[in-house]
Amino acid sequence: MRKGLLFLPVLLAVFLLTGCGNAGGELEKTNIPQESIVSVYVESEEGSIQIEPGKGKTIQIEASYAIEAGTKDRREQIAGYGGENILVTTDTSNPSVLTVLSRLSSDVTLRDGESVQIHLRILVPEGIGSVAIQSDSADITIANMFGCAYSIVNNSGSITVKDSTITGKSSFTNIVGDVEMKLKKVDTAEEIRVSTDVGDIRFNCPKRTPYTATIEELSQRGYTLTNKTGGPQISLSTKVGSIKFQK
């Protein structure tokens, strides 16, 4: 079992901007050998998450943070010495799954008007078959990725997938926020489900790709678009918002 905690040492000292009420810093990059890992699971409270392709047989995690509070002393108090209250942990107790958790230490209680955002950039090498993300509030970006299956659940914020290939069964769920998908290849996908309760969906399917797409807007009965036979089953739905399907 291997577990890691990424708050020391801080590469860049915490910098404090007394005029604009925020502070931020960067945490040390962490490299996790891929070995038998085939899945990556990320859980985040607030901030942003970027998933991009990596090189070699190593999963690389980059983390930074931003603190919003009224005074310099308060921002320093929230961050803790050297950013010790900003926690990004990794766990490979299950040898096939890398778990990445980002959160503020439970020793800190935020006051009204204060916030802490933790920003993650995770570089994933080939050989990883699935990526799952669970977030309270984040802008999630998946860019230039090879074939992977995804399970994304975001309570608020945006979900963006661009120039990426999807395989297997994947779902992208937003409660409040837009979803934009520009896919490079979906031939090997079985099912792609995209939904948001409040927000717009923009879905760009590769040209000449067979598919069957079901589209539901404003909780009304959906309609189906078909291009040839075979291909993935695509489901797009929003309760409050619009859907634009392009190919």
Side-chain angles (χ1 to χ4, degrees):
M1 178 174 71
R2 303 194 307 273
K3 293 187 178 181
L5 186 60
L6 307 179
F7 56 75
L8 287 176
V10 175
L11 290 181
L12 300 180
V14 176
F15 59 88
L16 301 173
L17 305 177
T18 57
C20 63
N22 60 57
E26 294 186 6
L27 306 180
E28 185 181 19
K29 294 180 182 179
T30 294
N31 295 316
I32 306 293
Q34 184 179 352
E35 297 181 346
S36 59
I37 296 171
V38 294
S39 299
V40 175
Y41 172 75
V42 183
E43 188 172 313
S44 169
E45 291 182 345
E46 183 175 357
S48 65
I49 302 168
Q50 292 177 259
I51 305 294
E52 300 176 11
K55 297 180 179 179
K57 294 295 182 180
T58 299
I59 301 167
Q60 186 177 89
I61 303 167
E62 301 173 2
S64 63
Y65 62 91
I67 299 173
E68 184 73 26
T71 67
K72 174 181 176 180
D73 288 346
R74 178 57 180 161
R75 295 190 293 272
E76 289 179 326
Q77 183 183 30
I78 292 172
Y81 178 76
E84 64 183 355
N85 291 330
I86 310 301
L87 306 181
V88 178
T89 62
T90 63
D91 185 359
T92 55
S93 53
N94 180 341
S96 65
V97 180
L98 169 63
T99 298
V100 182
L101 306 179
S102 70
R103 62 182 178 86
L104 180 65
S105 170
S106 59
D107 294 334
V108 180
T109 300
L110 296 178
R111 301 167 184 168
D112 289 346
E114 297 178 342
S115 67
V116 175
Q117 294 189 338
I118 301 176
H119 306 292
L120 299 176
R121 181 172 181 252
I122 302 176
L123 304 181
V124 179
E126 290 195 48
I128 299 298
S130 65
V131 174
I133 298 174
Q134 174 80 45
S135 177
D136 289 339
S137 177
D139 291 328
I140 299 171
T141 301
I142 298 168
N144 304 307
M145 283 291 290
F146 47 83
C148 252
Y150 298 92
S151 176
I152 312 297
V153 179
N154 193 23
N155 286 341
S156 68
S158 63
I159 299 175
T160 302
V161 181
K162 53 186 179 182
D163 299 324
S164 295
T165 297
I166 292 179
T167 61
K169 295 183 178 181
S170 294
S171 63
F172 303 83
T173 304
N174 226 358
I175 305 303
V176 178
D178 297 338
V179 182
E180 183 173 357
M181 304 187 67
K182 183 178 180 182
L183 302 180
K184 186 175 182 180
K185 187 177 180 182
V186 295
D187 293 353
T188 54
E190 297 176 39
E191 182 179 86
I192 303 172
R193 302 181 66 86
V194 182
S195 66
T196 178
D197 284 357
V198 180
D200 299 331
I201 296 175
R202 300 290 178 266
F203 191 98
N204 193 313
C205 192
K207 293 181 179 179
R208 296 181 294 277
T209 296
Y211 59 82
T212 299
T214 301
I215 298 174
E216 298 181 5
E217 294 177 285
L218 305 176
S219 298
Q220 298 178 357
R221 186 173 180 178
Y223 60 93
T224 300
L225 300 175
T226 301
N227 183 36
K228 303 179 182 179
T229 58
Q233 299 289 320
I234 300 172
S235 173
L236 311 177
S237 66
T238 178
K239 294 179 180 178
V240 179
S242 64
I243 297 176
K244 187 175 183 180
F245 183 92
Q246 293 179 309
K247 59 186 179 67

